[in-house]
Amino acid sequence: SFDQGPEIRVDPQNRCACMHFFDKFLAVFPFVQETGGLDDVDELFGGVSRPQAVKKDLESYVIALSDLEASNVKDFAFLHGYFEPTLILLSEPIRTWGGRLPILKN
């Protein structure tokens, strides 16, 4: 059985989304991004600008959490202020609960 349903988080700069599902996998969904071409640089130097949109269409992929040596992921989030989308995972290597505190105390 699975503890929770799928959860989705979106990068703060809307570059991609990530979904945690089946308690064992992360699916990454890159969004289509339009970037300006090299002609935008010409405008800075007084040249004639020819706006040119380049679309980056990337494929989604799935990551097994066992490959990352992460188990029992409790939460995940994208970090703000990074050049590339950066994901942080909060996991619990050994499942426990408050009643077991005397046994598993550090």
Side-chain angles (χ1 to χ4, degrees):
S1 74
F2 304 111
D3 292 341
Q4 55 194 7
E7 295 180 288
I8 297 177
R9 304 283 190 274
V10 178
D11 174 53
Q13 295 178 353
N14 293 323
R15 297 172 288 194
C16 68
C18 189
M19 179 174 67
H20 176 228
F21 63 102
F22 297 143
D23 295 335
K24 296 181 181 182
F25 300 102
L26 287 175
V28 180
F29 306 101
F31 298 147
V32 175
Q33 297 181 3
E34 292 186 11
T35 59
L38 293 177
D39 291 337
D40 294 341
V41 176
D42 292 338
E43 185 178 349
L44 295 174
F45 297 105
V48 178
S49 176
R50 295 182 304 269
Q52 183 180 42
V54 177
K55 289 188 178 183
K56 291 183 180 179
D57 190 15
L58 304 172
E59 294 185 17
S60 60
Y61 54 95
V62 176
I63 301 169
L65 291 174
S66 60
D67 294 344
L68 302 176
E69 297 180 9
S71 59
N72 303 321
V73 172
K74 298 298 179 189
D75 200 7
F76 66 103
F78 283 97
L79 299 178
H80 295 267
Y82 283 82
F83 181 71
E84 294 182 353
T86 304
L87 191 68
I88 187 168
L89 301 173
L90 176 65
S91 67
E92 181 180 40
I94 301 172
R95 288 187 181 200
T96 189
W97 58 286
R100 292 189 50 138
L101 181 61
I103 297 169
L104 295 176
K105 195 164 93 176
N106 288 343

